[in-house]
Structure formats: C-alpha cells, structure tokens
Amino acid sequence: MEKLYDAGKARAIGVSNFSTKKLSDLLVVARVRPAVNQVECHPGWQQTKLHNFYQSTGIHLSAYSPLGSPGTPWMNSNVLQEPVITSIANKLGKTPAQVALCWNIQMGHSVLPKSLNEERIKQNLDVYYWSIPDDLLAMFTEIKQLLLLYGNFE
Ligand SMILES: NC(=O)c1ccc[n+]([C@@H]2O[C@H](COP(=O)([O-])OP(=O)(O)OC[C@H]3O[C@@H](n4cnc5c(N)ncnc54)[C@H](OP(=O)(O)O)[C@@H]3O)[C@@H](O)[C@H]2O)c1
C-alpha cells in the first residue's frame, strides 16, 4: 500500500476492522499513517476505545453497519428498536435510523448506511442539517453494548 501511495496511485491508505492494538502496532512500522479505519459502529456498539484513539491520533473512524445491520441473523443488536433511540426519534420527529446516523456523525465519524429503497436512501441523507441536543445525546451512554457479547475487540 505504501508503494502504491508513493507511486501516486493511492491518495491515502485505509484499514478496516483494526483494533486499537492493531493500529498501535501498525503505527510503529508504518511510514505512511493510515488515514481511516472502517469498523462496525452504531449506538449498540459505540467503539469508545477506537473513538478515543481516533481523537488522539487523527485516524478517522468510519462506521459500517451504522444502523446495526437490521434483519441479519448474525447481529444481536436491534438498534432501530432500541428504546433510547426510538424515544429520541419521537421527541425530535425523526426516524430511529436518522437518529442512529446522526449520533455517529456528531461523534465525528463518517457513516456507511446501505439501503436498496429510494425513500430510505433519501431519509438516510437527511442527517446533516439538524442535531441531537446535548441532553438527549447523553442518553446514548445508557444503551447496552454489544461489546459484552463480542469480547474485547476494541
Ligand atoms: N469493512 C467491513 O468489514 C464491512 C462489514 C460489513 C459491512 N460493511 C459495509 O457497510 C455498509 C452497510 O452495512 P450493512 O448493510 O451491514 O448495515 P446497515 O447499513 O446498518 O443496514 C442495512 C440494512 O438497513 C436497512 N435500512 C437502511 N436504511 C434504513 C432506514 N432508514 N430505516 C430502516 N431500515 C433501513 C436496509 O434495508 P433496505 O435496503 O430495505 O432499506 C438494510 O437491510 C455496506 O456498504 C457494507 O459493505 C463493511
């Protein structure tokens, strides 16, 4: 990847599914620092350690499955039906998906939601011109984390 970067064929280097340990190990040997780490991140798996790592190193956190990948058998998190999310959505007149995406954006992360549905794609784009107020944002700490199920991935 560094050779591609040197040759001008890649403008930046990104990694995916790197824990803070893997990133720290990489930083010891990397000549070109990774610009971004793409990991699963949503209100049900907030990636606090990686978020703090991003803030201290500037290695951007990009969130995949930001809606918790609803309907997939391998996920145990029902982000869009999580009571904290649905109550905030009701208060703000937004959908749970919009609240989940907005939370990630307010954390400074980019988001990679996937939808095959035109209306939901439009809905998922409408997350930049409003924000979750601080008192409601604080409620996200109450959400049970998948980390407990996955182990110490971060
Ligand atoms: N780097 C990695 O290892 C990695 C791993 C997993 C995923 N990813 C990437 O992350 C992206 C998204 O991941 P994902 O598909 O797992 O998770 P996701 O975006 O959290 O969830 C997608 C699901 O949410 C539904 N959905 C989308 N918008 C919605 C809305 N507004 N309201 C209700 N439901 C909504 C979609 O259904 P409809 O289509 O019917 O709207 C689809 O079933 C993909 O591009 C994927 O390639 C990367």
Side-chain angles (χ1 to χ4, degrees):
M1 287 304 292
E2 289 180 331
K3 283 183 187 158
L4 289 174
Y5 180 87
D6 292 339
K9 291 182 178 169
R11 289 190 200 173
I13 295 176
V15 295
S16 184
N17 295 318
F18 268 45
S19 61
T20 52
K21 165 86 172 73
K22 280 187 186 163
L23 279 175
S24 299
D25 290 349
L26 179 63
L27 287 179
V28 174
V29 294
R31 192 166 43 76
V32 181
R33 285 163 67 91
V36 58
N37 183 25
Q38 185 185 119
V39 291
E40 180 176 340
C41 183
H42 47 73
W45 193 2
Q46 299 183 11
Q47 300 281 17
T48 308
K49 267 180 85 176
L50 277 170
H51 171 79
N52 294 338
F53 196 85
Y54 141 62
Q55 292 210 307
S56 61
T57 61
I59 298 174
H60 179 72
L61 193 161
S62 191
Y64 75 69
S65 304
L67 306 174
S69 212
T72 49
W74 56 86
M75 293 289 297
N76 256 323
S77 158
N78 215 339
V79 171
L80 302 186
Q81 286 166 24
E82 211 292 326
V84 169
I85 305 287
T86 54
S87 78
I88 292 174
N90 285 338
K91 280 181 187 147
L92 298 179
K94 303 292 180 186
T95 67
Q98 289 175 315
V99 168
L101 295 174
C102 200
W103 169 81
N104 245 318
I105 291 165
Q106 284 180 241
M107 296 304 287
H109 311 156
S110 49
V111 286
L112 303 161
K114 191 217 75 180
S115 177
L116 300 176
N117 175 286
E118 184 176 344
E119 284 313 306
R120 287 197 281 274
I121 291 170
K122 287 180 184 163
Q123 184 193 120
N124 295 347
L125 283 167
D126 180 19
V127 290
Y128 292 101
Y129 301 106
W130 55 276
S131 58
I132 303 164
D134 286 346
D135 59 325
L136 299 182
L137 205 55
M139 292 170 64
F140 282 77
T141 57
E142 297 167 17
I143 298 173
K144 191 177 167 201
Q145 295 298 292
L146 271 177
L147 182 61
L148 301 173
L149 303 171
Y150 278 88
N152 193 12
F153 170 83
E154 293 185 295

